[in-house]
Structures are given as structure tokens and as C-alpha cells.
Amino acid sequence: MSSVLSDSTFFGVVVSLIGYEFGIILKKKFKSAIFNPLLISIVFVMLMLLMCNVEYKNYNEGAKYISYLLTPATVCLALPLYQQMELLKRNAKAISIGVVAGVISALGSVLILAKLFGLDHREYVTLLPKSITTAIGMGVSEELGGIVTITVAVIIITGVLGNIVGETVCKVFRIKQPIAKGLALGTAAHAIGTSRAMEMGEVEGAMSSLAIAVAGLLTVVGAAIFSHFM
């Protein structure tokens, strides 16, 4: 049975989509951020691979087709940004400072934690792109000599955590400005955080979309600089 499944070209795609749809159903039913569809789909896929005794490389042969949609999906986030262009122009200074502060915080926190936990240079640069979208983060990690597969995992974990706790953090620190919320989620939790920002409102979604692009570009430069600090 496992050999039949592993040989199926689209086994990975089917399992991934079923897991994601299951996550959507759970989130609608329980209305809790902990039931993030991406998180649920990850757990579901892991369980299916273990139960069916399917190796990851065989699963990925089919699931890789989903990753082809990653770049165009990211580009599509420009639409809500275009719709809020006037708001962007009026708050350009504050937005720029906010994104730069977020990028420095993301890179700086990795540097501090890497020193505290005694990580080597390769492990350190692997974690540097944790807060940017996978499409950019993989390239940054590879260029700096990091472990790309771990970078992808860290990026996903960062995004899921940001999606789950982002709104709660805003409430705790009494952040009520939609622009600030969107920038925070986009800068810290990339596309997965942006999906949560879009649920919060149009302005939050637009600002988060902007933060993904700008933070991604700044991190490419910033990561190259921070890589020399350890």
C-alpha cells in the first residue's frame, strides 16, 4: 500500500490539500487562531506519511507542484496595496521607519539568541531570514551558506506563530492603529502573517503586503551585513 502511494505522482498534492481544507474546517468551527490551516495541514501530512510509511522525498515529488504557486501568490499581494495607495503616500515616513525597525529587530534577535545558545556560523545564518517570505528566504540562506531546508522550516514556524499570536500581542500592547498592525504582521510573519492581517481589515492587509516586499529586500542586504557579526 505504501509503495503504491509513494509512486503516485500527485500523492503529495492531494494529502497537502486535504490537510489544509481540514484546517479551514476546524478554524471555522472553533474560531480559534490555534487552528491555523497551515499548521493543521503540516501535522496532517506528517501523520499521513508516518501512517502510510511514505518517505519525504517521495511525498515531495508530488507536493513540489504546490510550491510553484508560491511566487505568483506573493505577487498577488500587491493588489490590496494598490487599493490603499493614497494611504501609503500619506504615511510613507512612518511606514518606512516601522519596516526598518522591524527588520533590524528580526536580525538582531537572531544574533543575540545565536550568541546565547552558542550556535556556529552556519546555524546562525540559517536563521537570519526567518521573518521573510520563503521565496526570498531560501535564496538568502543558500547565498550565506546556511541549511536551506531548516530555513524553510523556521520561516514557516515564524509565520504560523505570528499568525496565531499577532492580534493578541497587538491587544496586549494596545496597538490599535491599522497601519501599525499590518506592518508588524507583515514584517515579522511574512505571507502567513499577512493572511491574518487581511482577516483583520483591508488597511491591515495592504500594509502587511507592503511590509513583506520591503522587509524582504531590506533583509537581503541586512542579512549579508549581520552574517559578519558572528
Side-chain angles (χ1 to χ4, degrees):
M1 177 66 177
S2 61
S3 62
V4 174
L5 290 175
S6 62
D7 290 338
S8 178
T9 304
F10 297 104
F11 170 73
V13 174
V14 173
V15 171
S16 300
L17 292 179
I18 291 176
Y20 193 80
E21 287 297 322
F22 183 54
I24 292 177
I25 293 173
L26 288 178
K27 187 170 185 179
K28 287 182 178 179
K29 180 176 178 61
F30 296 101
K31 300 185 183 302
S32 173
I34 194 64
F35 292 104
N36 181 277
L38 181 59
L39 178 60
I40 297 299
S41 66
I42 291 172
V43 175
F44 180 81
V45 169
M46 291 172 63
L47 291 175
M48 285 297 296
L49 296 185
L50 289 172
M51 290 173 58
C52 299
N53 194 28
V54 176
E55 294 185 9
Y56 173 76
K57 65 178 182 180
N58 294 326
Y59 156 79
N60 192 49
E61 278 300 311
K64 66 182 180 182
Y65 296 108
I66 296 179
S67 65
Y68 294 159
L69 301 174
L70 182 61
T71 300
T74 304
V75 173
C76 286
L77 294 174
L79 178 59
L81 176 61
Y82 174 77
Q83 294 172 336
Q84 300 293 333
M85 187 59 67
E86 289 302 318
L87 185 64
L88 170 61
K89 293 178 180 178
R90 291 199 303 269
N91 298 275
K93 185 177 180 180
I95 291 171
S96 300
I97 294 174
V99 175
V100 170
V103 171
I104 294 175
S105 297
L107 295 173
S109 63
V110 172
L111 175 61
I112 293 172
L113 291 174
K115 288 184 176 295
L116 286 175
F117 288 95
L119 301 184
D120 61 30
H121 178 76
R122 190 183 188 197
E123 293 167 339
Y124 165 59
V125 297
T126 296
L127 301 179
L128 278 178
K130 69 176 180 63
S131 294
I132 58 177
T133 185
T134 309
I136 303 175
M138 291 173 64
V140 172
S141 178
E142 184 176 10
E143 184 68 25
L144 296 177
I147 307 170
V148 178
T149 51
I150 295 180
T151 298
V152 173
V154 171
I155 289 174
I156 292 175
I157 292 172
T158 301
V160 171
L161 288 176
N163 185 292
I164 293 174
V165 306
E167 189 170 11
T168 301
V169 171
C170 289
K171 289 180 180 178
V172 170
F173 289 95
R174 298 180 180 180
I175 300 174
K176 300 179 181 179
Q177 174 59 249
I179 295 177
K181 290 181 180 179
L183 291 176
L185 282 168
T187 304
H190 50 84
I192 304 177
T194 298
S195 67
R196 181 71 186 112
M198 288 181 170
E199 294 176 2
M200 295 167 65
E202 291 184 3
V203 175
E204 289 91 335
M207 294 302 106
S208 189
S209 300
L210 171 65
I212 291 177
V214 179
L217 294 174
L218 291 177
T219 300
V220 171
V221 178
I225 297 173
F226 269 75
S227 65
H228 297 292
F229 293 166
M230 183 174 171

